Amino acid sequence: MCMYVCIYKLAINMKTLYTGIGHSNSSSNSSNKMALGKSIKMYLTIFIATTCIYMVLYQYHMSRQPLASNDVVKHQDKTSSSYIASYWWAPMSLLSAVNNNSNSNSNNIMNSTINKTTETTLEQIQKDNGRSIIMQTVSLDSRQSTSATAAAATTIATTTTAALAKAAAVVTTTTTKTLATTATATQSQIKLRNGQTYRPTNKAGHNPMGQSTIPSTTTTTTTISSSRTTRTTRPKFLAISDPPPLYIITPTYRRPEQLAELTRLGYTLKHVVNLLWLVIEDANKTNPLVAHTLDRIGVPYEYLVAPMPEEYKATKRAKPRGVSNRNRGLDYLRANASEGVLYFADDDNTYDISIFEQMRYIQKVGMWPVGLVTKTGVSSPIIRNGKLDGYYDGWIGGRKYPVDMAGFAVSVKFLHERPHAKMPFKPGYEEDGFLRSLGPLANAEIELLADQCRDILTWHTQTKKNPPASPVNFTRYGQTNLEFIEKLLVRP
C-alpha cells in the first residue's frame, strides 16, 4: 500500500513542478528542475526499497506455508491473471517452482528405474545348426519408491541380485528339463540357426549320418600357436529328409590361396540349409589353420585327409589332383549317408546358391552348364527338342561325358546302387571316368537343370596364383601384430 501512495505523491509533485515551471521566470527555472530531479530520485529509491522488502516478506510467508503432496503435481492455468501476477511480484517463487518440478521429475524417473531394473531377461541365443533356443524371462514387480538417492541405489542392487539369482535357478532347471525331454523324444523338431525347423531323422526313422538324434554340439579346441588358442563350438550335422540333404565334397591342398578360397566357398554354403561340407585335404595330417577357418565360418563340416598315392607324386607327367580326396568323400558317404545328393565343389569356383536348391531333388544324375571353361568359354550339355543331344566343350578328347567337375551332381541312393563307382587317377578324364562307372546310365535318365541348361549358375573362375610370402623380419618387427599374422600365412 505504501508503494501505491508513493507513486501517487510522485505524480502530484511532478504535475505541480511542471505547472510552476510554465509560469515562473527564467531565473528560477533551473532551481525548479533541480528540485524535480531530487524528487524523482527520492521516490524511485523509496519504490525500489519497498519492492525489495515486499519480496523478502513474501518469500518468508511462502516458506512458512505447508505444501500438500498433491499440490506439487498440479499446474495452474498459465493464462490466468493470478498466475502471472504471482510470478511477477514474487520472481523468487519461479525458481522454487522449477526446483520442485525438477525434484518431482527426478523422483518419478528414479521410481520408474527401480521398477524396470527388476525386470531381468536372460536368454541363451541359439548358437549353431542343430540346437534349440532356451529362453526364460524372470520379472519381479517392485512398487516401493523412495526419494533418497542412497536408498534407491540400495533397493536397485538388492532387487537385481535377487532377480539374477532366481533367473539362474530357473534357467538351470529349464535347461535340464529340455535336454531330458529331447533325449527321450527323438522325433521332436529342432529349430536351426537359419530360422527353419526340421526333424532330426529321415523318413525311414533312422539317422543317415549314423549320429545321435539328440541336438548336441562338439567343442573343438584349435591351437594355432603356443601363445594363442582358439576355442569354438562346432555344429553337428543332423541329416533330414525334407528338404533332402546335400553333401558337398571339396578337395583342397596347401597353397597361399587355400584359406581365402575356403572362406569364399564356405560363406556361399552358409546360405544353404541341410548341408554337410566334406573338406578333404591332400595331406598326411590335418592343418590347424584350415580347422580354425572352418570353425569360424560355422558350416557343418567334416575335415578329412587323403594324400595322393606316392606313385602319382613321383611322376613327371600331369598329376591327378583331387582324385584321392573325392574318392575319400565317396567312401564316407557310403558309410554314413543313405539319401541326399553329392556334389564335387572345388574351392576355386563361383556358385549361384540357386543351383544347390535345384540339385537337391536329383533322382540319379543331373547336369548343367559351367562358365569360363576352355576356349569356348562354357562347358554344357547340348539340348535339342528338350532332349540331351551331345556336349559342348572346348576339349572333347574322346570322352563320353565331356563335362566339367562343377557341372553335375549324383544321388546318394544311386551311388549306393553302384558300389564300385569311383574316380580314376587319370588326369583330364576324372569326370568322364566317374560318370562311366555309374553306368548303365542312359541320356534320358540325366536331369537337365539351370532352366534346361539355358542358364549359367556355376563358373570355373580359378584364383590367380600367388608366390609364397616372404618371411617376416622379427628382428625389426618383433613384439608386434605381425607375429600373429605370420602364423596365418600359408606357404607350400
Side-chain angles (χ1 to χ4, degrees):
M1 191 67 182
C2 295
M3 183 169 52
Y4 292 105
V5 172
C6 292
I7 293 174
Y8 177 73
K9 289 183 177 181
L10 177 62
I12 293 175
N13 291 334
M14 290 180 65
K15 181 178 180 181
T16 303
L17 289 173
Y18 276 111
T19 302
I21 290 173
H23 295 84
S24 62
N25 53 20
S26 60
S27 60
S28 61
N29 192 13
S30 60
S31 61
N32 291 334
K33 288 182 178 181
M34 292 179 63
L36 177 61
K38 291 180 179 180
S39 299
I40 292 174
K41 283 184 178 182
M42 179 184 66
Y43 287 113
L44 285 177
T45 302
I46 295 172
F47 174 77
I48 293 172
T50 304
T51 303
C52 292
I53 293 172
Y54 174 77
M55 290 171 59
V56 172
L57 294 176
Y58 181 83
Q59 289 299 319
Y60 177 77
H61 173 74
M62 293 296 294
S63 64
R64 300 289 293 177
Q65 296 295 327
L67 293 177
S69 59
N70 56 352
D71 292 339
V72 178
V73 297
K74 291 184 179 180
H75 300 280
Q76 300 184 32
D77 184 6
K78 295 186 178 183
T79 59
S80 63
S81 58
S82 60
Y83 178 85
I84 299 174
S86 63
Y87 284 103
W88 175 261
W89 293 111
M92 292 300 294
S93 62
L94 180 62
L95 297 178
S96 300
V98 171
N99 291 334
N100 292 334
N101 291 334
S102 177
N103 293 333
S104 177
N105 292 335
S106 299
N107 292 333
N108 292 335
I109 293 174
M110 182 65 67
N111 295 335
S112 176
T113 303
I114 294 172
N115 293 330
K116 291 182 178 179
T117 304
T118 56
E119 297 179 358
T120 305
T121 301
L122 297 177
E123 65 175 0
Q124 178 180 349
I125 302 175
Q126 59 177 10
K127 296 179 179 177
D128 295 298
N129 289 351
R131 296 200 297 173
S132 59
I133 299 176
I134 300 174
M135 178 180 293
Q136 291 293 330
T137 302
V138 178
S139 178
L140 298 178
D141 186 13
S142 174
R143 303 304 179 189
Q144 298 178 353
S145 62
T146 177
S147 59
T149 304
T154 304
T155 304
I156 293 174
T158 303
T159 54
T160 304
T161 303
L164 290 176
K166 186 174 181 180
V170 172
V171 170
T172 302
T173 305
T174 306
T175 304
T176 304
K177 292 182 179 179
T178 302
L179 293 177
T181 303
T182 309
T184 55
T186 57
Q187 298 298 327
S188 59
Q189 294 184 342
I190 300 171
K191 188 172 183 180
L192 303 183
R193 179 182 52 200
N194 52 38
Q196 301 187 23
T197 303
Y198 301 120
R199 297 184 304 276
T201 57
N202 58 20
K203 293 180 181 179
H206 65 276
N207 186 356
M209 291 300 298
Q211 298 169 345
S212 172
T213 55
I214 300 176
S216 59
T217 57
T218 302
T219 302
T220 303
T221 302
T222 302
T223 304
I224 296 180
S225 65
S226 58
S227 61
R228 180 179 176 183
T229 302
T230 302
R231 296 181 181 273
T232 58
T233 301
R234 172 182 166 186
K236 178 178 288 187
F237 176 72
L238 299 174
I240 56 177
S241 299
D242 189 16
L246 292 179
Y247 301 95
I248 308 301
I249 301 175
T250 300
T252 187
Y253 65 97
R254 187 177 179 86
R255 62 196 186 281
E257 306 83 22
Q258 182 182 25
L259 300 183
E261 291 178 335
L262 288 175
T263 299
R264 179 178 56 189
L265 175 58
Y267 280 101
T268 298
L269 300 179
K270 198 168 185 178
H271 294 278
V272 185
V273 299
N274 199 21
L275 174 145
L276 179 64
W277 191 16
L278 301 176
V279 180
I280 308 172
E281 186 165 6
D282 185 355
N284 294 315
K285 61 180 181 179
T286 58
N287 185 353
L289 289 177
V290 174
H292 172 70
T293 301
L294 298 178
D295 286 334
R296 182 172 57 189
I297 294 173
V299 175
Y301 74 91
E302 290 291 340
Y303 180 27
L304 309 172
V305 293
M308 181 186 298
E310 294 295 333
E311 57 182 297
Y312 299 109
K313 289 183 180 180
T315 182
K316 295 182 180 180
R317 300 179 181 179
K319 295 179 174 59
R321 295 186 180 276
V323 175
S324 60
N325 312 55
R326 297 183 181 97
N327 285 333
R328 177 68 180 89
L330 296 177
D331 294 338
Y332 180 91
L333 295 180
R334 285 190 174 100
N336 297 280
S338 61
E339 63 177 0
V341 172
L342 69 93
Y343 178 56
F344 300 112
D346 293 344
D347 53 9
D348 60 347
N349 291 346
T350 302
Y351 305 91
D352 188 312
I353 59 174
S354 63
I355 192 62
F356 297 104
E357 298 306 321
Q358 293 184 35
M359 73 173 71
R360 195 185 292 275
Y361 301 94
I362 291 175
Q363 297 299 316
K364 292 185 178 180
V365 176
M367 292 185 179
W368 55 88
V370 179
L372 302 177
V373 178
T374 69
K375 61 182 180 182
T376 59
V378 65
S379 175
S380 172
I382 299 174
I383 311 303
R384 182 175 282 111
N385 298 325
K387 297 181 179 180
L388 178 61
D389 190 36
Y391 298 91
Y392 181 78
D393 193 276
W395 177 69
I396 301 298
R399 296 182 295 169
K400 181 180 179 180
Y401 301 101
V403 297
D404 187 77
M405 192 70 69
F408 67 92
V410 180
S411 167
V412 173
K413 288 184 178 180
F414 188 64
L415 177 67
H416 279 291
E417 297 173 359
R418 308 294 192 269
H420 301 292
K422 64 177 182 179
M423 192 166 290
F425 286 89
K426 188 176 181 180
Y429 292 85
E430 294 91 340
E431 302 93 338
D432 181 64
F434 175 67
L435 291 173
R436 284 175 180 267
S437 68
L438 293 174
L441 177 64
N443 287 349
E445 296 177 308
I446 298 177
E447 302 176 38
L448 307 174
L449 306 185
D451 192 18
Q452 290 290 304
C453 296
R454 291 180 291 186
D455 197 3
I456 298 178
L457 300 177
T458 60
W459 295 265
H460 191 62
T461 46
Q462 296 181 323
T463 304
K464 179 181 74 72
K465 299 297 182 182
N466 295 274
S470 58
V472 177
N473 185 354
F474 289 108
T475 303
R476 181 177 181 182
Y477 301 106
Q479 297 182 350
T480 65
N481 64 306
L482 297 182
E483 293 182 352
F484 295 95
I485 295 179
E486 163 69 15
K487 297 179 178 62
L488 300 177
L489 298 178
V490 178
R491 297 183 175 87

